[in-house]
Amino acid sequence: MQIPGIILQPGIQQDLSVSLQPGRTVAVEVLEVNGAQATVRLAGQLFQATGELPPAGQSFWAVVESVKPDVLQLRKLDGPPVKPPAPAILVRLLDLPPGPDGPKLLGELLKWQLPLDRHLLLGLLSAGKNLTAAEKAVYWPVRAWLETLDIHADAAKVHQAINYLLGNDSATPKGQEVLNQAQPLFPGQEAVSFFTFQGANFNGELYIVDDRDGKKQAQKFPSGLVVRVHSPALGETWVHLVHNDGTLTARVAVAEERFVHPVQQAAHNLRTKLTALGYRVGEIQVTARPVHSICELLRPDLEPTYQPLNTTV
């Protein structure tokens, strides 16, 4: 039987022998099934696959068995589908240094179904080793999300993006430019565009979230808007507005509990005005909680699961 060729996502060029070494744990998503072949997403690339694959739309974990220039063999996992092992168990399997950082970082990588490469994990742990526990809680979600973009292998761009996303003193407009030029690695992943605004007594950022097609500003209307506003009166406020099936819903995060009621009242007035203009408005949720970066509001499309596998791509 002829081995199907590897189809790489446009703009992605990787040496499989480096990025997918034997023994590496990887997440695989089945995008489309056509007869005996399927299109799958693995490590940010698209492949044609044959073998015992689950239906389209399902994802699973596998172990890389062998890598050749034109074929990648994944080892079959026996047993029924189960949830991914707890991060603490994966820390032991990957022989990571002891401590709380490993499980927390693994949890962020698992959320985005990123390959669990020991070399990558050690590098990320080293990059955050001098941060305090509070700083790490903010840093890991940002660092994991940047691994889902095509700039993840460029250390200079990643550094600029981190400074911008975290609002560090060393942040420059270049960080915003880098992120606006970056593209998602994975099909089905939200694409984010970044804009800054400044008023007389406030400042903030507007994030345009495009639909899950991997391209920025490719739709007539974005799937969502996120606004971060900082003012002397309210501190930092985040508004996440989503348009889905003709209905607008919003989540608002305010800096302190005392701001919840007045913002709820303002949201009620806004709902009334939008409804009068003909918009269909769903739930507007207001909570008091800290949001440190846009990365904390983004979510992958699918949750990872394990699935028996005997697949060649």
Side-chain angles (χ1 to χ4, degrees):
M1 181 177 64
Q2 183 180 3
I3 297 173
I6 296 176
I7 300 178
L8 299 181
Q9 186 178 352
I12 305 293
Q13 296 294 333
Q14 293 185 355
D15 182 353
L16 291 178
S17 64
V18 174
S19 61
L20 295 173
Q21 297 176 351
R24 185 175 184 179
T25 304
V26 293
V28 184
E29 179 187 355
V30 181
L31 302 176
E32 184 179 55
V33 177
N34 185 12
Q37 292 192 351
T39 302
V40 302
R41 180 183 77 184
L42 187 157
Q45 302 179 66
L46 297 183
F47 301 93
Q48 290 300 305
T50 60
E52 298 175 8
L53 288 161
Q58 292 193 18
S59 59
F60 53 86
W61 288 86
V63 176
V64 177
E65 190 170 74
S66 65
V67 180
K68 298 178 181 179
D70 59 350
V71 64
L72 172 69
Q73 181 71 38
L74 304 182
R75 176 163 30 109
K76 180 179 179 180
L77 300 177
D78 294 322
V82 296
K83 294 182 179 180
I89 296 176
L90 290 173
V91 166
R92 294 196 297 271
L93 292 174
L94 293 166
D95 193 24
L96 299 178
D101 292 346
K104 291 177 181 177
L105 175 58
L106 274 167
E108 294 296 332
L109 296 181
L110 286 169
K111 181 179 77 174
W112 290 103
Q113 304 185 31
L114 289 163
L116 303 182
D117 177 72
R118 185 173 184 272
H119 178 74
L120 170 65
L121 285 161
L122 290 175
L124 297 184
L125 289 171
S126 177
K129 66 180 180 180
N130 294 326
L131 301 177
T132 66
E135 290 171 335
K136 289 174 182 176
V138 179
Y139 177 77
W140 296 137
V142 169
R143 192 61 188 85
W145 182 69
L146 289 175
E147 284 297 309
T148 71
L149 303 180
D150 61 2
I151 63 170
H152 71 101
D154 189 318
K157 290 183 177 181
V158 167
H159 180 70
Q160 292 166 334
I162 289 174
N163 284 334
Y164 171 77
L165 289 167
L166 296 182
N168 294 336
D169 293 339
S170 55
T172 69
K174 184 65 177 179
Q176 186 186 76
E177 179 184 344
V178 163
L179 285 165
N180 278 329
Q181 293 175 349
Q183 292 291 341
L185 286 173
F186 304 149
Q189 181 182 336
E190 293 171 325
V192 186
S193 301
F194 300 77
F195 303 92
T196 303
F197 58 85
Q198 181 79 42
N201 297 310
F202 63 89
N203 65 79
E205 290 172 308
L206 169 66
Y207 310 88
I208 297 178
V209 183
D210 284 307
D211 276 332
R212 301 174 181 276
D213 69 350
K215 294 182 180 179
K216 295 183 178 182
Q217 302 176 7
Q219 301 83 32
K220 185 176 181 180
F221 298 104
S223 63
L225 296 174
V226 178
V227 181
R228 180 190 66 81
V229 182
H230 185 275
S231 66
L234 294 177
E236 192 157 276
T237 302
W238 289 77
V239 180
H240 188 184
L241 184 66
V242 177
H243 180 265
N244 187 24
D245 293 331
T247 300
L248 294 173
T249 60
R251 290 180 292 165
V252 182
V254 295
E256 299 179 34
E257 191 69 36
R258 62 191 176 99
F259 297 140
V260 170
H261 180 70
V263 172
Q264 285 177 330
Q265 185 60 47
H268 175 75
N269 295 337
L270 176 62
R271 182 202 299 269
T272 301
K273 292 178 180 179
L274 289 175
T275 302
L277 291 173
Y279 291 96
R280 189 167 63 190
V281 183
E283 180 184 14
I284 300 179
Q285 182 186 71
V286 182
T287 58
R289 69 181 185 93
V291 177
H292 303 100
S293 74
I294 178 67
C295 304
E296 298 177 15
L297 302 179
L298 302 174
R299 291 292 182 269
D301 195 20
L302 295 173
E303 293 296 326
T305 56
Y306 278 90
Q307 181 82 15
L309 176 67
N310 182 13
T311 304
T312 299
V313 295

